[in-house]
Amino acid sequence: MTTQILMPALSPTMTEGKLAKWLVKEGDKVTSGKVLAEIETDKATMEMEAVDEGTIGKILIPEGTEKVQVNEPIAVLLAEGESASDISAAPKKAEATKEAKAPAAPAASAPKAAQTAPEPTETGGKTQTVREALRDAMAEEMRKDERVYLMGEEVAEYQGAYKVSQGLLDEFGSKRVIDTPITEHGFAGLAVGAAFGGLKPIVEFMTFNFAMQAIDQIINSAAKTLYMSGGQMGCPIVFRGPNGAAARVAAQHSQCYASWYAHVPGLKVVAPWSAADAKGLLKAAIRDPNPIIFLEHEILYGQSFQVPENDDFVLPIGKAKIERQGSHVTIVAFSIMVGKALKAAEALAEVGIDAEVINLRSIRPLDIDTIIASVQKTNRLVTCEEGWAFSGIGSEIAALIMEQAFDHLDAPVARVAGKDVPMPYAANLETLALPQVADIVEAAKAVCYR
Amino acid sequence: MAIKKATRGATPAGNSAATTEQLVEFYRQMLLIRRFEERAGQLYGMGLIGGFCHLYIGQEAVVVGLTACANKQDTVVTSYRDHGHMLACGMDPKGVMAELTGRSTGYSKGKGGSMHMFSREKGFFGGHGIVGAQIPIGTGLAFAHKYKNDGGMSFAYMGDGAINQGQIYESFNMASLWSLPVLYVVENNKYGMGTSVERASASPDLAGRGEPWKIKTMTVDGMDAVSVYEAGLEACAHIRAGHGPVLMEVKTYRYRGHSMSDPAKYRTKEELEKMRSEHDPIDSLRQTLIGLKVTDEEGFKAIDKGIKEIVLEAAEYSQTSPEPDPSELWTDIVVAA
Ligand SMILES: Cc1ncc(C[n+]2csc(CCOP(=O)(O)OP(=O)(O)O)c2C)c(N)n1
Ligand SMILES: [Mg+2]
């Protein structure tokens, strides 16, 4: 059987080209790799090499021909023992890909929660700081699973830059509690490799501001590889550390990254407020087979809450918590803003507005169902975050509510967010830049038309 | 890993560390990669492979020589120029080619393409599209080998262009600090896209980049599979003995453009022709095998024929396999917890 030599596509966008020059003539013997012709593409002049061995039986397109379509036969190659009389002229064209419509996202893989398990009880227990709760969560999971280890700057001998890993080196030793050099991109990538290799790393970023050095590894390697590998390369890893504004550390050390990571399919993003959140969600994050961004808050580390004493207290990722029931307005918040929202609710109660406060706990997957159910009751929604409003979490929630609960709204959704400026240093300006209780109160009154 | 280590009683080839059986196997593997890549180039030309497609032609001796030093539990990462590495790891040419054409039977079910393929079973951990990003990951695989104490080591390949990425040095530092079992291989093919080493690197001594981190360094002729193999044996012995990482610069050459759409204007035809005619790794091993009277014309013909069949079968499979089902759009985003 003779072989047709087809006009090749020599760039991702080429559909036709000029056959500039033949470098072989009829009757020439060719071997794999021999340059046959020069082709002018939309970008450059390229050489075309032979793939198969044989003799050039016939040149179908003379040199100098313009607009030769990709996949058009340009010559015929004869195998040993064949002659020109064996040439038939049936051109073979590759079939164009058909236009297809994307199927709708199945409920389970859409970026929202599909969690139906009942919430564990959170009453009783002991009083703990968020810092202690995080430490206990890691220690308990490390006791259970040899594959879990902690790495980061100052996590071991110094006991943590914010003392979150206090005591872990003593208990688990330097094999599992590892001080790294200041090398975020490197150790984030190393931990991703370790996760591919069967371990379950917890990576502490001293703060999430420094994780920008590592964001390529977090997104391009940790988040996307499962998909790119057709499901082979799961990456069970937790990236954790303080996120958002501390106090008086200015723009490079005070940013909320929730919306940055929440944007990315393949990641889960968790933001605890209370010590119980911190413990239950961190344990869930460590057990989860996916890459998790675990956003803590420096200001919360020292705050105390009740935490269940049960060793197996785990909170489901993707499930929000109604912290305060109310009927007039829904206030959605995460991390430190939950505390501010609860204070705002108290102030609102004094003026006769009964606010419901939802603690998101997880940002991706987002428990939109809980928010919708609340809005169906209150018909009013205020979102709160420390980050900037533009492309923020509040913007996403507003869009989802507009799409899924438009008819239940009696007022436009209000976003309370950080001011659209880099964080200033001066105390007065910093207070102005951050969303305060009064801002939430005002927004809630506004959506209630009060 | 596909190539067997030298076994006792096998015939040594001259005074080389490789046996004659291994030399034949090196030849076969290199030829498989070359023919596979030529066929991939053709399928690209036919519009059956899309996007970026980086061929390994010319560099075959590197991965074949080094993979012969690997054990079953070892792991490999490399860049987007990955087809040769996958074939050397023993991945099925059919599955690789079907991924190139974006079919459901490809190694990533058609969702990764040429640059992103994986096989846990064969210890191949990608296939990475971000220049340099595979090096921390390969270092992490070495970390996992050490942590689990499984006796394995990691092979982490990069290009001469990649060597200027900062994360490489972050990795070198940690690997040396913690004595991780990793072999860093710089495949110096003289160019990162259109930029020659001289125009990108302040010092052309790329192996020397390991010295500040007290990493053992080696420079090897990458156009000769046996030299690469022998260097690999030395490097792996060092690493497996727990002495920490090795950085090996392998001098090689790519015959084709950087990717399919590169007219390669940055080098002369003479330069390419000289490498092809005087340093081709397949031709020179063929001469060695003839000189040692291991393989004759008939023998080579049989090898050629066998390989041609494998590659044709892969090409056929990659065109007849179905595209992924539209429902695959929504799978493999997260693992169900
Ligand atoms: C971070 C990043 N920057 C740029 C690119 C685009 N790019 C792809 S390959 C390449 C050249 C790399 O050359 P080298 O490391 O020598 O590898 P080779 O292609 O020669 O195998 C560039 C710039 C990329 N993929 N990733
Ligand atoms: Mg290069």
Side-chain angles (χ1 to χ4, degrees), chain A residues 7-12 32 44-47 49 51-52 70-71 94 97 102-106 109 146 148-149 151 175-176 178-179 181 183-187 189-190 193-194 196-197 199 216-217 220-221 225-234 266 288-290, chain B residues 35 38-39 42 44-48 51-52 107-109 111-112 116 118-120 125 128 130 133 136-137 139-141 143-144 147-148 167 170 173-174 177-178 180 256 260-263 265 269 276 308 319 323 326-337:
Chain A
M7 179 71 170
L10 295 167
S11 84
S32 311
T45 302
M46 309 260 301
E47 293 180 340
E49 293 175 5
V51 177
D52 297 297
V70 163
N71 277 336
T97 346
S109 49
E146 186 66 30
V148 180
Y149 77 94
M151 79 188 319
K175 181 187 173 191
R176 298 179 69 196
I178 300 159
D179 279 327
T183 191
E184 284 81 5
H185 200 185
F187 69 67
L190 184 150
F196 289 155
L199 305 185
D216 171 64
Q217 288 289 358
N220 272 318
S221 303
T225 305
L226 180 73
Y227 196 80
M228 293 196 302
S229 64
Q232 282 185 74
M233 302 290 294
D288 198 281
N290 296 288
Chain B
R35 294 285 173 263
E38 287 165 352
R39 190 61 61 183
Q42 186 194 37
Y44 191 94
M46 293 163 69
L48 290 163
F52 293 128
Y107 267 98
S108 296
K109 298 196 239 164
K111 297 201 248 185
H116 317 105
F118 310 82
S119 167
R120 276 191 181 277
F125 284 74
H128 296 269
I130 304 296
I137 292 171
T139 309
L141 288 163
F143 179 92
Y147 189 101
K148 294 186 291 188
Q167 56 185 313
E170 300 190 26
N173 184 47
M174 286 184 284
L177 187 65
W178 298 332
L180 301 181
R256 297 293 186 97
M260 293 303 297
S261 47
D262 169 20
K265 283 275 157 60
K269 281 197 171 149
R276 265 189 184 166
K308 191 168 186 185
Q319 294 170 62
E323 288 186 324
S327 64
E328 281 293 340
L329 183 64
W330 293 104
T331 62
D332 307 323
I333 301 161
V334 293
V335 181

Side-chain angles (χ1 to χ4, degrees), chain A residues 59-349:
Chain A
I59 284 177
L60 302 171
I61 305 278
E63 64 182 30
T65 310
E66 309 238 14
K67 298 201 168 166
V68 182
Q69 297 300 304
V70 163
N71 277 336
E72 200 173 322
I74 56 175
V76 180
L77 194 68
L78 305 175
E80 237 177 287
E82 288 175 344
S83 72
S85 60
D86 295 319
I87 298 169
S88 76
K92 184 176 119 200
K93 292 212 174 189
E95 224 179 289
T97 346
K98 292 172 281 294
E99 292 273 330
K101 203 163 165 277
S109 49
K112 63 174 210 166
Q115 193 72 45
T116 46
E119 200 159 303
T121 49
E122 293 166 47
T123 45
K126 59 182 170 189
T127 305
Q128 261 196 327
T129 61
V130 169
R131 173 182 285 116
E132 291 161 344
L134 291 168
R135 192 260 329 273
D136 285 359
M138 289 191 282
E140 287 171 17
E141 294 308 303
M142 286 175 77
R143 275 172 217 135
K144 280 202 184 77
D145 188 344
E146 186 66 30
R147 297 169 300 172
V148 180
Y149 77 94
L150 173 67
M151 79 188 319
E153 293 157 21
E154 310 293 357
V155 298
E157 300 200 358
Y158 195 85
Q159 310 291 324
Y162 297 97
K163 298 282 178 284
V164 172
S165 52
Q166 187 113 40
L168 295 184
L169 175 65
D170 275 355
E171 180 174 354
F172 299 102
S174 59
K175 181 187 173 191
R176 298 179 69 196
V177 183
I178 300 159
D179 279 327
T180 65
I182 306 157
T183 191
E184 284 81 5
H185 200 185
F187 69 67
L190 184 150
V192 169
F196 289 155
L199 305 185
K200 303 197 76 180
I202 305 170
V203 175
E204 177 174 310
F205 289 118
M206 198 175 275
T207 81
F208 262 93
N209 301 284
F210 316 135
M212 273 206 279
Q213 296 270 337
I215 202 163
D216 171 64
Q217 288 289 358
I218 297 172
I219 293 174
N220 272 318
S221 303
K224 297 181 185 170
T225 305
L226 180 73
Y227 196 80
M228 293 196 302
S229 64
Q232 282 185 74
M233 302 290 294
C235 186
I237 191 168
V238 178
F239 295 105
R240 51 157 289 270
N243 170 68
R248 309 294 311 282
V249 288
Q252 291 180 337
H253 287 70
S254 314
Q255 187 177 334
C256 174
Y257 289 90
S259 80
W260 287 49
Y261 293 107
H263 189 61
V264 183
L267 292 179
K268 293 187 181 180
V269 183
V270 177
W273 164 61
S274 69
D277 289 357
K279 182 156 185 204
L281 290 170
L282 185 52
K283 284 167 70 84
I286 295 168
R287 292 179 191 187
D288 198 281
N290 296 288
I292 313 270
I293 305 293
F294 196 87
L295 303 170
E296 300 162 9
H297 202 292
E298 188 190 330
I299 308 274
L300 295 175
Y301 280 151
Q303 295 189 10
S304 295
F305 298 83
Q306 286 297 108
V307 180
E309 259 172 299
N310 170 10
D311 205 36
D312 229 13
F313 169 66
V314 178
L315 290 172
I317 292 174
K319 194 88 189 85
K321 182 182 178 208
I322 297 171
E323 297 284 355
R324 183 187 197 279
Q325 305 268 354
S327 56
H328 296 151
V329 57
T330 302
I331 304 176
V332 169
F334 60 92
S335 186
I336 194 169
M337 294 308 293
V338 175
K340 291 189 180 180
L342 287 168
K343 286 212 178 86
E346 281 166 34
L348 287 164

